[in-house]
Each structure stands twice: as structure tokens, then as C-alpha cells.
Amino acid sequence: MDKAAASAPGKVILFGEHFVVHGTPAIVSSIGLRAKVEASKISEEAVLLEGFGDENPAVIASKYILRKTGCRTGLSLRISSEIPQSVGLGSSAAVAVASAAAALMACSKALDSSLVLEAAHEGEKVVHYTPSGIDTSVATYGGAGVFSRDEGYTQVDFDLEYLLILNTGKLRRTGDLVRKVKEFADKNPNRFKEISEEASRIVQEALEALEKGDLPYLGKLMNRNQALLREIGVSSPELEDAISALLKAGAYGAKLTGAGGGGCAIAIADYASLDEIIHKLSVSGYSVIKARLVVEGVRAEPLSSPP
Ligand code: PMV
């Protein structure tokens, strides 16, 4: 095959980001926004991605695939993505996963999810400092579930179809925030241990609430989780304003999602009031979307133009 295309979904972390880097579990779902990558074989022995250098997760993941499969070709990658970048929705992981899958299929190999995940994780190390692997796992396997560094990703019963995502538009780098939390943990080891234990309890309670579809209780747990994220220093004035606005507009609970420091806030609300909340917030100038949760992971896509 001279060309192949694949797509992978973005994600939201509902509970437990940052603490997951230090070993506690987190809850994550794929979302209905996807990144698509088309990989075309080229004669030059390089992986090219217009506008980006070699130190890019998509390029590194694709090179990993070429090396592992012994596929002697160069590739040109073309990305089209619905996932906003650098705001906590797993854009770089989705692109890395879709690139690895497209590279694999361009080399006429079947889509092997575990190899794709391995390749994308290598790519993510460049941008994420010490990635837990949560983003690449959910982009690969889709669905929703619990993730921990020790156990990896396990899909669970998940009775939550939609949530709200408010993009503050403030870009930030995951690695910087992960470093900030490490500094907090190094300076305050006892307090960090207590906070991590509370984060772990929230995750356990959330798993039960998700199984039952108890939206008001999930909202309360989000507020509790946000207080912990605030204490370890990863919230921001933009996020605090957004969260207050979401709660004021009628959400059951709200928190930052992903690395924080800007990026997106998420909120849980009664499904019947989602549109009304979006409307109220748009009047105040916020951009909010209703995101579908629990979608398909990496998959082959038709080529935009036939080979
Ligand atoms: O890159 P983001 O914003 O989607 O955040 C990833 C979640 C963290 O827990 C902050 C980092 C990680 O690797 O788990």
C-alpha cells in the first residue's frame, strides 16, 4: 500500500489527573472529536510532517513503527484534527496514535493496537516529560475506564453519555505542569500523600457513581477533585472563572481536565439542561461544547483522495 489513513479520539480525564503520574488511578473517557492522519510513502528515507521538526510525537511514533516492522520506506504525514491543541483534550496523543496506525497500514500490516500504543507512548515522552500513558491508551482503545501506571487501562461500566467542555483558550504545556506538581510533592511529601489518598478515594466513589449514572453525586466529586488540583497549584484564574460560571449556570460540578494551568474545564449537568447552560455561557462569552463520551478508539479511515 502506498498510502493509508487512520483516526483516533481525544479524551477527557474525569478524575485523578496528575495524581495518576504518581501512581494513583484516574478515570478517563474518549470523546467524539477525532484526529485523522494520512501517511503516504515517499522515496526519501525520512518521516516528514509539514511545519514540524523531528522532535514531534507523530514523527517519533511513525519512525518507531518503521523500525519495529523493518519497513524500509520514508513517509509523509498529513494531519487533520477536530481536537483543539494544548488544552488538555489529548490532541498530541490522538495524533501520535493515528500516525502510528497509518504508518503501520501504509506498510501493509494489520492494525495492531498494542504496537500502536507502544509507538505512540514513545512519541509522547517528547512532549510530556513523564507521561503516565493515559492519553495514548484511551486514544488507542477508546471507550471509558480507569487507568493506572501499574495496571494500564481497564474499560468499565460507564453510565455517562455527555459532559460539557469549556475551553479557556489559554494554551499550556503538560510537561511544565507535571514538573510543578513534582516540585509540590518534593516540598510537601506528607501533604501530597494525604491529597493523593483523597484523590484515590474520589476515583473509587466516582466508579460506583458512574456505574449507577448518579450525575449529581459525580458533580460533587468533581468539585472535591478540583479543590485538590487547586491546592497542588495546577488551576489558574481563567479556570477558576470558568468553573464558577459553569456552576452558576446550573452544572452539578466542574473541574479542570488534563494538566490544567489553562486549557479546558469540564462540567457534569443534567442532560436536559446542557443546551441551556451552553446558551447561558455563550452569552457571557465562553465557548462550551457538549461532548459525547465513550467512542471508538483507533480505526482505519478512507483516504481523502484515492491512491
Ligand atoms: O496533556 P494533558 O493536558 O491531556 O494531561 C495529561 C494528564 C496528566 O495527568 C497531567 C499527565 C499524565 O501523563 O498523566
Side-chain angles (χ1 to χ4, degrees), residues 11 13 16-21 87-92 124 128 130-135 172 174 177-178 257-260:
K11 65 92 186 54
I13 298 179
E17 53 273 271
H18 283 295
F19 305 106
V20 69
V21 175
V87 290
L89 300 180
S91 153
S92 75
E124 281 286 275
H128 266 204
T130 49
S132 62
I134 189 168
D135 288 20
R172 76 294 170 288
T174 299
L177 276 307
V178 170
T257 187

Side-chain angles (χ1 to χ4, degrees), residues 184 191-192 195 225-235:
F184 179 95
R191 183 63 192 140
F192 190 71
I195 301 177
N225 195 157
Q226 175 61 19
L228 305 181
L229 291 163
R230 198 178 288 134
E231 190 175 340
I232 61 171
V234 294
S235 193

Side-chain angles (χ1 to χ4, degrees), residues 123-145:
E124 281 286 275
K125 282 186 194 163
V126 184
V127 285
H128 266 204
Y129 180 44
T130 49
S132 62
I134 189 168
D135 288 20
T136 42
S137 296
V138 73
T140 303
Y141 294 107

